[in-house]
Amino acid sequence: MNTLLWLRTDLRLHDNPALAAAAENGTVTALFLASPGQWRRHGDAPAKVDFWLRNLRELAGDLGALGIPLKLLTVAHWDDAPRAIAGFCQAHGIAQVHANTEWAINERRRDAAVADALQADGVDWTLHHGASLLRPGTVLTGKGECYRVYTPYARTCRERLRTAPLRPLPAPRAQAAPPWAADPLPDAFDGFPPPSDAVRTLWPAGEAAAAERLAAFADGVIDAYKDERDFPSLPGTSCLSPYLAAGVLSPGQALRAALAANQGELDSGKAGATTWINELLWREFYQHLLAAYPSLSMHRPMKPETAAVPWRDAPADLHAWQYGKTGIPIVDAAMRQLLALGWMHNRLRMVTAMFLSKNLLIDWRLGEAWFMAQLVDGDLAANNGGWQWSASTGADAVPYFRVFNPLSQSRRFDPRGAFLREWLPELAHLDDQAIHDPSPMERVAAGYPAPIVDLAQSRLRALEAFGNLPAV
Ligand code: FAD
């Protein structure tokens, strides 16, 4: 029997439930459905699409070595997916299609339409679970409800993972190849120009590259993770987010590496490993929310009353934020890191997101979209979750009156200005104090802008805007 593996954000051989099932049931063909028009409408970053393509190329080689050809179909819109996939199955005598679930609402609608089309043709369609440690919708409160707060959610996850540890799935065995060849892959997808060499070097493609990065992190850096993860000038975090977002690395592989570094303990033992496991559970939590609340896919706030925040229409301020010209050094350095690398340190994602949504009082959705348009690790669940957390519109909301002061954050997490010097060369000559908030004369001399907003006054403006919201 011919089976089809429909690859999406699960670009790996190992620990891939859909691939394992397709291989168990027959002769596998793999398929990737490219939809550059959809990706553009979705606002995906060129760096991310290039990362997908580079990983597909690696994966095509790995699959080919097992006798599994990778076919490529291109559609203008996801509405065309059912016809394209059903047509492919008919043309190739495919009896079963296997894929791993994606939880955003558009993807779920697409899959439902594909399932209908396949069913009409008598082709079996099975969705598997491979994007998170625990299947969204299965981690519930004692009352059977969906958790809206991280801490009890994470506690329940740990209990589940302790009582039923996850088993890794091996790569499938080699098969006698079906009678059709793999498709060539393009150099780039339409409308997604290749990123800089720096971006490609920083994010090498393939499962082997991901495994090497994971092993290097789990072999040493993880021990200092709790102490160093908030300092953007230190290599204190794993930089695995693009691999997890594209599914080049499975969350189970990440968890097992952390457990191995921590004598099998989930929440005791070494502080570094347990803190890192908590971050994997944050990723898990946001997927669980995305699956439970379709409104998140439509960028609606979790706290309904915050839909009435009087966001400012301030395109010049938004532009200054996007391009690192706000006159607040830590914000500008972070935004320039994002533009240059397609990635930003987590501490700075929080600082820049709060600065936009609180100090500038600009709608968090504009920031969410800008991040998505730049990030190599852009992921709807994590990005939406991080933005709603920062803007105090989210489920597990920080109280709206918590507004990070970017200057205090800068002094605390970049005390010697090392990160600022790397991204703001015009300020590099200033001393460790001045660099966080240069004087007007130092700014003029360096050609660096004055702050576009007064931090104290804008904080009060945000508190008033949130404090006066009518109850819903
Ligand atoms: P590590 O610190 O090594 O963490 C390990 C892994 O855990 C990460 O690779 C990631 O998969 C996960 N993780 C860590 N922190 C978080 C978190 N707070 N929420 C969810 N998952 C987490 N992460 C994305 O993967 N894609 C996004 O689009 C994204 N957008 C964000 C937007 C905002 C406003 C904020 C505040 C955070 C966002 N994050 C996003 C979460 C986090 O910033 C990144 O996952 C992290 O910086 C990636 O670096 P790392 O791989 O070195 O992380």
Side-chain angles (χ1 to χ4, degrees):
M1 175 170 61
N2 286 319
T3 62
L4 185 71
L5 164 70
W6 178 8
L7 288 162
R8 296 103 74 93
T9 39
D10 51 357
L11 304 180
R12 61 179 184 271
L13 283 188
H14 297 88
D15 217 22
N16 185 333
L19 172 55
E24 207 172 284
N25 287 294
T27 302
V28 189
T29 297
L31 174 75
F32 186 79
L33 189 70
S35 181
Q38 185 80 33
W39 300 336
R40 276 197 300 278
R41 275 187 294 281
H42 189 242
D44 284 316
K48 181 170 84 171
V49 172
D50 176 73
F51 186 69
W52 287 345
L53 184 54
R54 288 187 292 125
N55 276 288
L56 266 181
R57 200 164 288 126
E58 295 290 325
L59 185 55
D62 295 345
L63 287 166
L66 297 178
I68 303 175
L70 173 64
K71 306 294 280 183
L72 177 72
L73 281 182
T74 303
V75 294
H77 195 282
W78 276 350
D79 290 350
D80 304 327
R83 206 164 19 90
I85 300 224
F88 183 91
C89 289
Q90 278 197 344
H92 294 82
I94 304 281
Q96 288 185 355
V97 179
H98 296 268
N100 291 308
T101 306
E102 295 186 307
W103 293 103
I105 195 70
N106 282 340
E107 281 78 349
R108 282 156 76 179
R109 286 190 183 130
R110 174 202 61 195
D111 286 355
V114 169
D116 287 347
L118 292 177
Q119 198 183 14
D121 289 350
V123 177
D124 281 350
W125 159 253
T126 312
L127 277 174
H128 301 265
H129 166 63
S132 53
L133 298 167
L134 299 167
R135 189 184 179 82
T138 66
V139 182
L140 298 170
T141 66
K143 290 186 184 157
E145 289 165 0
C146 174
Y147 282 104
R148 291 172 63 101
V149 177
Y150 168 77
T151 305
Y153 168 82
R155 196 180 309 125
T156 304
C157 283
R158 281 191 222 99
E159 277 162 27
R160 285 268 305 275
L161 292 167
R162 200 173 288 116
T163 46
L166 305 174
R167 304 268 167 248
L169 286 169
R173 281 197 298 271
Q175 64 177 21
W180 39 82
D183 287 335
L185 292 169
D187 290 334
F189 285 119
D190 254 10
F192 291 93
S196 67
D197 288 348
V199 169
R200 286 185 163 174
T201 307
L202 191 59
W203 309 111
E207 274 184 274
E212 202 177 301
R213 189 168 287 206
L214 175 63
F217 177 74
D219 272 357
V221 183
I222 198 169
D223 288 340
Y225 181 74
K226 182 169 191 289
D227 298 326
E228 299 193 347
R229 70 187 179 122
D230 278 316
F231 293 83
S233 69
L234 300 178
T237 70
S238 69
C239 290
L240 284 167
S241 48
Y243 302 91
L244 283 161
V248 181
L249 181 73
S250 81
Q253 290 170 319
L255 179 68
R256 280 187 288 276
L259 290 173
N262 201 30
Q263 286 87 43
E265 296 295 338
L266 276 162
D267 54 359
S268 57
K270 295 184 187 167
T274 55
T275 307
W276 198 63
I277 291 170
N278 284 340
E279 296 308 313
L280 295 179
L281 295 181
W282 271 106
R283 176 180 179 276
E284 201 79 3
F285 179 59
Y286 288 138
Q287 291 204 13
H288 146 99
L289 289 181
L290 188 74
Y293 298 99
S295 62
L296 295 181
S297 294
M298 291 175 259
H299 311 282
R300 303 228 178 93
M302 282 290 286
K303 290 173 101 185
E305 69 275 20
T306 61
V309 172
W311 303 113
R312 291 170 63 238
D313 179 23
D317 287 357
L318 177 64
H319 187 271
W321 176 82
Q322 288 171 328
Y323 290 95
K325 294 178 179 168
T326 67
I328 308 292
I330 192 70
V331 172
D332 294 342
M335 297 307 292
R336 293 188 200 181
Q337 179 184 44
L338 176 64
L339 284 172
L341 305 184
W343 185 87
M344 190 196 288
H345 189 277
N346 179 60
R347 168 65 42 188
L348 302 180
R349 295 190 202 204
M350 294 191 284
V351 169
T352 54
M354 272 205 195
F355 179 77
L356 185 82
S357 56
K358 301 283 177 64
N359 294 99
L360 295 180
L361 204 63
I362 288 178
D363 193 330
W364 58 273
R365 282 162 282 221
L366 296 173
E368 183 195 16
W370 181 253
F371 269 30
M372 204 47 133
Q374 309 302 327
L375 283 171
V376 67
D377 67 17
D379 168 78
L380 176 59
N383 196 35
N384 184 275
W387 272 95
Q388 296 228 36
W389 184 93
S390 306
S392 307
T393 61
D396 194 49
V398 289
Y400 70 83
F401 43 82
R402 188 204 286 182
V403 182
F404 285 172
N405 180 321
L407 299 182
S408 320
Q409 294 281 314
S410 185
R411 292 186 183 107
R412 183 164 166 207
F413 296 114
D414 190 30
R416 309 293 307 274
F419 182 79
L420 296 179
R421 284 193 181 85
E422 184 181 349
W423 293 101
L424 302 174
E426 66 270 43
L427 302 183
H429 61 286
L430 296 178
D431 69 34
D432 293 358
Q433 290 306 314
I435 195 166
H436 298 284
D437 186 16
S439 69
M441 272 174 59
E442 286 164 341
R443 286 170 189 265
V444 172
Y448 184 69
I452 59 169
V453 73
D454 179 282
L455 292 176
Q457 280 172 16
S458 58
R459 177 176 169 276
L460 292 177
R461 178 176 65 187
L463 297 192
E464 206 178 306
F466 277 81
N468 290 338
L469 288 175
V472 175

